[in-house]
Amino acid sequence: MRIILNSENLNKLPEDTIYFHVASSDDNKNKKEYINNHIKNARFISFEDDLVGDIGIHGGRHPLPDMKKFSEKIMDFGVNGETPVLVYGKNSFTDASRLWWMLESIGIKNCHILYGTLDSYMYEGKTTESGEVLYTPSQKRDLSLNNNKLLNYEDVKSIIHDDKYIIIDSRDSQRYEGLIDPVDNHPGHIPSAINKHYEELLLGQNPPSIDDINNFFKDIDKDKNILLYCGSGVTAGANAIYLKEIGIEYYIYPGSYSDWITYPGAIIELGAYFGE
């Protein structure tokens, strides 16, 4: 079964699939919207409160939370390493993709994501539920962080000119090339990174096909190690999902560009990168 599913495919998931509703925050508005409308038995996840930690000097705009506590919370929701999971965003596919790669990093292998959002799902006339969701914490407490997939500044610095790696910047071309950067105010990209704007595969009414994804990455040497980053570790999740769809593993830089630029002496390149 595909990782990215449209609304028509949700009924093909096993009955014990656990759904996660990703909202932007844990405020009253988002909680009320969740109570009123969610996909069957979906657990509530707040992007700002559950998927992001405390902002410091380093770590970027959306630093990782304490991953041990995150893992414990996911198990409290009833998830273990064998549980099928589907994540969806209330109004953001990429917020849900952040949860997707974080779940991957703690050992969730059978994880899917809804193409689009809950808003588009409801626009299609699909059925939702209301009310609180009851769940039983998992008795199998075996989730643990796979640190090998998550790279930090020093890791990335050591591979920027290592020909065994390909570094992919998932932002739009203007931010990548340094023409503008209204978000991080330091235009440019990490040295040797190439640009693959995640949104190019989200423009259609249906999920991108496997052929679409292969074509998107046709110039990538798939035998090399692939490192993904974006502005702050959110939209790179979409590219992580695409790669996984075609059987390619990835590394991810959670702090991404907004972490990179906080280090004195960090090198920034402008323009497109065409290799050495």
Side-chain angles (χ1 to χ4, degrees), residues 23 26 60 85 116 122 125 159 164 191 195 216 222 226 228 255 261 274:
D26 196 13
V85 171
M122 292 172 62
I159 65 172
K164 296 190 294 296
N195 188 215
F216 184 62
K222 299 175 179 62
I226 297 178
L228 302 171
I261 59 177
F274 299 103

Side-chain angles (χ1 to χ4, degrees), residues 31-44 128-134:
K31 286 301 289 285
K32 184 177 180 180
E33 288 177 344
Y34 161 74
I35 294 296
N36 289 338
N37 287 292
H38 54 260
I39 297 178
K40 62 178 182 180
N41 295 321
R43 283 72 159 149
F44 180 89
T128 58
E129 296 180 350
S130 61
E132 293 281 1
V133 172
L134 302 178

Side-chain angles (χ1 to χ4, degrees), residues 7-8 16 70 133-134 143 149-150 155 164 190-191 193 199 208 210 219 227 238 244 253 256 258 260 262 270:
S7 59
E8 302 297 331
D16 62 344
F70 170 74
V133 172
L134 302 178
L143 299 182
K149 289 182 76 75
L150 310 181
D155 297 325
K164 296 190 294 296
I190 294 173
E199 203 166 41
I210 296 301
D219 55 343
L227 168 67
K244 198 76 173 184
Y253 179 14
S256 285
S258 60
W260 181 263
T262 63
L270 300 174

Side-chain angles (χ1 to χ4, degrees), residues 10-276:
L10 297 197
N11 61 3
K12 297 178 182 177
L13 291 168
E15 279 298 314
D16 62 344
T17 299
I18 291 177
Y19 293 74
F20 282 104
H21 172 113
V22 183
S24 58
S25 71
D26 196 13
D27 62 18
N28 289 334
K29 176 178 179 292
N30 280 292
K31 286 301 289 285
K32 184 177 180 180
E33 288 177 344
Y34 161 74
I35 294 296
N36 289 338
N37 287 292
H38 54 260
I39 297 178
K40 62 178 182 180
N41 295 321
R43 283 72 159 149
F44 180 89
I45 286 281
S46 162
F47 177 87
E48 292 291 347
D49 300 283
D50 298 319
L51 307 184
V52 177
D54 295 332
I55 295 177
I57 297 173
H58 303 301
R61 285 182 282 108
H62 295 116
L64 282 179
D66 181 316
M67 291 299 284
K68 187 176 187 303
K69 290 181 180 178
F70 170 74
S71 178
E72 289 291 331
K73 179 160 190 168
I74 294 301
M75 289 185 287
D76 285 344
F77 278 131
V79 178
N80 59 50
E82 300 169 0
T83 316
V85 171
L86 179 127
V87 302
Y88 68 86
K90 166 62 176 69
N91 46 32
S92 170
F93 177 85
T94 53
D95 282 2
S97 78
R98 164 88 167 199
L99 174 58
W100 184 91
W101 72 252
M102 287 176 64
L103 290 172
E104 268 248 311
S105 75
I106 59 170
I108 305 299
K109 300 301 182 187
N110 190 7
C111 190
H112 306 272
I113 187 168
L114 175 67
Y115 185 70
T117 63
L118 179 67
D119 290 345
S120 61
Y121 179 86
M122 292 172 62
Y123 182 78
E124 294 172 13
K126 302 301 180 184
T127 302
T128 58
E129 296 180 350
S130 61
E132 293 281 1
V133 172
L134 302 178
Y135 46 83
T136 303
S138 172
Q139 297 302 306
K140 190 176 180 182
R141 316 294 283 191
D142 61 347
L143 299 182
S144 59
L145 179 63
N146 178 6
N147 281 309
N148 293 331
K149 289 182 76 75
L150 310 181
L151 303 190
N152 59 29
Y153 170 80
E154 291 297 335
D155 297 325
V156 178
K157 184 180 176 183
S158 72
I159 65 172
I160 55 176
H161 294 298
D162 186 334
D163 63 7
K164 296 190 294 296
Y165 285 84
I166 294 174
I167 303 176
I168 295 178
D169 185 317
S170 305
R171 300 172 301 164
D172 68 72
S173 61
Q174 287 197 311
R175 289 178 67 196
Y176 163 76
E177 292 182 22
L179 300 176
I180 59 170
D181 197 330
V183 184
D184 292 312
N185 298 316
H186 286 75
H189 59 261
I190 294 173
S192 80
I194 63 171
N195 188 215
K196 292 290 179 184
H197 185 207
Y198 77 95
E199 203 166 41
E200 291 181 28
L201 289 179
L202 293 179
L203 301 177
Q205 188 171 356
N206 294 307
S209 68
I210 296 301
D211 285 344
D212 291 335
I213 298 172
N214 274 313
N215 188 58
F216 184 62
F217 292 112
K218 65 183 179 183
D219 55 343
I220 297 295
D221 184 343
K222 299 175 179 62
D223 291 326
K224 294 190 176 184
N225 299 303
I226 297 178
L227 168 67
L228 302 171
Y229 79 90
C230 53
S232 60
V234 181
T235 60
N239 275 340
I241 292 167
Y242 304 152
L243 288 171
K244 198 76 173 184
E245 283 272 43
I246 56 175
I248 298 175
E249 293 297 332
Y250 62 89
Y251 297 91
I252 200 159
Y253 179 14
S256 285
Y257 190 69
S258 60
D259 175 64
W260 181 263
I261 59 177
T262 63
Y263 287 89
I267 301 171
I268 296 171
E269 286 186 346
L270 300 174
Y273 179 76
F274 299 103
E276 297 180 344

